Amino acid sequence: VGLGIAVLAAFRWLGEHAAELGLDPQRLAVAGDSAGGNLSAVLCQTATREHWPQRPCFQLLLYPSLDLRRGHPSHRDFADGYLLTAASIEWFMNHYLRSPADIHDLRASPLLAPDLRGLPPAYISTAGFDPLRDEGHEYADRLRDAGVPVELAPNPSLVHGFIGLVDGIPAAAAALDHAAHALHRALHPQ
């Protein structure tokens, strides 16, 4: 949860200094994979809820971690044998959270946010063989229900962490390419 505070501070600084860095403060996007997807989602929720003057205009979430309660069927179905395991998730949580109560903190489990209205458009890419798959799909549904434009890109043949496999797996390269095109379209609308 502490790392999230640093991410929020970094984005606020970037928003405040965008012009002097030659950036358009209205075209700042966030992207992240796995825990980075969690941080990106939390950043978008916080900036929207607190009405920051500069907010992300787009969020690109690759197989994001969104619900540390781990109750979705994909957590059970892919607990072992698919790169990201239940044991490794437990290890990460034990090193990230202050206590088990933090599981319910919106900064750890952004899927639990009661209101997702007003968030920036999203691109969510999921992997078929991933404990986090179902929470990514649920977040896409909740964003859509809240009126947020969202593109869900399921990749049924891939595992968690597939962006690290783009050199050897054509489906991973294609998924990353599709995500990059979505980000380009968001930052350079016609």
Side-chain angles (χ1 to χ4, degrees):
V1 177
L3 181 60
I5 294 169
V7 169
L8 299 177
F11 187 87
R12 285 194 87 141
W13 183 91
L14 181 63
E16 291 167 1
H17 299 276
E20 63 194 77
L21 295 170
L23 303 173
D24 180 348
Q26 303 308 310
R27 291 192 324 169
L28 299 175
V30 294
D33 75 309
S34 193
N38 169 288
L39 295 170
S40 295
V42 169
L43 169 60
C44 290
Q45 288 183 13
T46 303
T48 300
R49 185 175 54 251
E50 295 179 3
H51 307 287
W52 291 5
Q54 280 82 34
R55 297 178 222 168
C57 69
F58 187 72
Q59 52 184 321
L60 188 143
L61 312 176
L62 303 174
Y63 39 85
S65 171
L66 299 164
D67 186 354
L68 294 185
R69 295 175 300 173
R70 297 175 290 158
H72 293 85
S74 58
H75 276 277
R76 179 188 63 250
D77 296 344
F78 306 112
D80 286 303
Y82 296 96
L83 234 52
L84 180 65
T85 65
S88 61
I89 293 171
E90 187 71 28
W91 187 89
F92 293 133
M93 288 175 53
N94 288 337
H95 288 83
Y96 183 63
L97 302 175
R98 296 169 297 196
S99 76
D102 282 344
I103 289 170
H104 301 282
D105 188 311
L106 299 183
R107 295 170 297 175
S109 296
L111 184 61
L112 303 181
D115 187 2
L116 301 178
R117 291 176 296 171
L119 292 178
Y123 178 92
I124 301 174
S125 184
T126 60
F129 297 98
D130 182 2
L132 308 183
R133 180 195 65 202
D134 294 348
E135 56 200 75
H137 289 219
E138 183 179 344
Y139 197 60
D141 289 342
R142 290 212 42 230
L143 287 169
R144 202 173 287 116
D145 290 346
V148 176
V150 61
E151 180 180 352
L152 176 63
N155 298 284
S157 67
L158 295 176
V159 296
H160 185 87
F162 64 75
I163 65 167
L165 306 172
V166 297
D167 287 339
I169 299 177
L176 185 57
D177 188 55
H178 194 266
H181 281 26
L183 178 60
H184 186 269
R185 285 191 309 271
L187 294 177
H188 304 283
Q190 302 293 24

